[in-house]
């Protein structure tokens, strides 16, 4: 997806963003059990990443580094 195709932050749907992130993380072998739209602040369109174990945080960091290196 190019920058022109990405939704603007204020118009991004938190449900769609959550599912998109969940799918991308799954491809990297990372599961965030608490990943969900933040229902307490609907106008801000927030996604709650939740709490994770240190091992999951390390896998997430490795996946981000791999993506940044591309």
């Amino acid at each position: 997806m190019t920058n022109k195709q990405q939704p603007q932050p204020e118009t991004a749907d938190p449900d769609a963003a959550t599912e998109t992130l969940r799918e991308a993380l799954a491809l990297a072998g990372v599961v965030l059990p608490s990943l969900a739209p933040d229902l307490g602040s609907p106008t801000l369109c927030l996604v709650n990443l939740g709490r994770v174990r240190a091992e999951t945080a390390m896998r997430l960091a490795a996946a981000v580094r791999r993506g940044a290196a591309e």
Side-chain angles (χ1 to χ4, degrees), residues 7-64:
Q8 297 299 312
E10 63 274 5
T11 62
D13 175 42
D15 292 307
T18 298
E19 289 311 309
T20 299
L21 180 57
R22 187 183 320 278
E23 291 168 5
L25 290 171
L27 291 173
V30 177
V31 175
L32 299 180
S34 300
L35 180 63
D38 183 346
L39 302 178
S41 56
T43 58
L44 295 177
C45 299
L46 299 177
V47 174
N48 184 358
L49 302 180
R51 296 171 57 180
V52 299
R53 293 179 182 257
E55 176 186 340
T56 301
M58 295 299 284
R59 285 198 317 270
L60 179 57
V64 170

